[in-house]
Amino acid sequence: PHFEHTAQLECEPWIPPGYLPPTAPSRSGPILAEPDLALGRFRHTLAEAWYGDLDPGHTEERYAGPTAPKSELDRCPEAVEKLYNSRRVLDAGAGSCTLYGWLLEHGLFERLTHYMSFGSYNCGMLRLCGERGTVAFQHDWTSPLPLCKECTFDAVMQLEGVHHNGSPEKTLRMLQNFDAALSCGGGVFFNHK
């Protein structure tokens, strides 16, 4: 079933017929040939295995591609600089964990001490995150984030998802919740065309 942006998403542990795990010989070679295991897993995920009749849509390159293009970051050099200087990052609009991929591609993920991501359009995206080697969870960003008071982030990123809020009041609540998760000197970055 298609998922409309809400925190009520419950995903079944669906494995497609004929799925080859990353340990299969035909997959492990390309994965292990990369300079880093995490990067190998990310670059060689089988996006097409996680979509189809069960979770249609969102298979285009920007969501499921192995190079994790994030054109939004190209338009915001301040956000890129913040990511380069951050040790704790909250990706509040993860899709299929493409910010995770961007951090890997730029050699920044290994420098982080804390990383958390949430938000997907459908279960296929969450399964793809698992295949890529990271955990994502589902949460309505207009509700307070389920974090302890000491759990704060240097950068909170939200790319191309604000239109899902549907009203200025919800967007304000989202920004207040993001602000509550910021460390002193941290920054909230969101991009919306």
Side-chain angles (χ1 to χ4, degrees), residues 93-185:
S96 56
C97 305
T98 52
L99 182 60
Y100 166 70
W102 187 91
L103 293 165
L104 285 172
E105 294 283 351
H106 289 82
L108 300 177
F109 191 79
E110 63 192 30
R111 296 174 40 204
L112 298 179
T113 60
H114 296 77
Y115 176 76
M116 195 165 151
S117 65
F118 70 91
S120 300
Y121 287 109
N122 59 31
C123 294
M125 284 189 170
L126 293 175
R127 292 184 189 103
L128 187 56
C129 288
E131 164 100 357
R132 287 176 161 176
T134 188
V135 174
F137 69 98
Q138 212 45 21
H139 182 73
D140 180 346
W141 55 51
T142 63
S143 298
L145 296 170
L147 305 171
C148 65
K149 294 255 187 237
E150 296 78 29
C151 300
T152 59
F153 297 88
D154 303 319
V156 177
M157 311 297 289
Q158 203 310 300
L159 303 176
E160 299 294 336
V162 176
H163 61 275
H164 292 293
N165 287 335
S167 74
E169 295 78 23
K170 286 184 175 182
T171 300
L172 178 60
R173 280 200 308 272
M174 176 195 78
L175 291 172
Q176 290 168 335
N177 291 329
F178 292 173
D179 183 61
L182 279 180
S183 58
C184 184

Side-chain angles (χ1 to χ4, degrees), residues 3 7 9 26 31 33 39 48 56 61 63-64 79-80 83 131 148 152 162 167 192:
F3 162 61
L9 177 65
S26 63
I31 289 170
L39 200 52
E48 63 277 6
E61 180 74 10
Y63 292 112
V80 171
L83 286 171
E131 164 100 357
C148 65
T152 59
V162 176
S167 74
H192 190 69

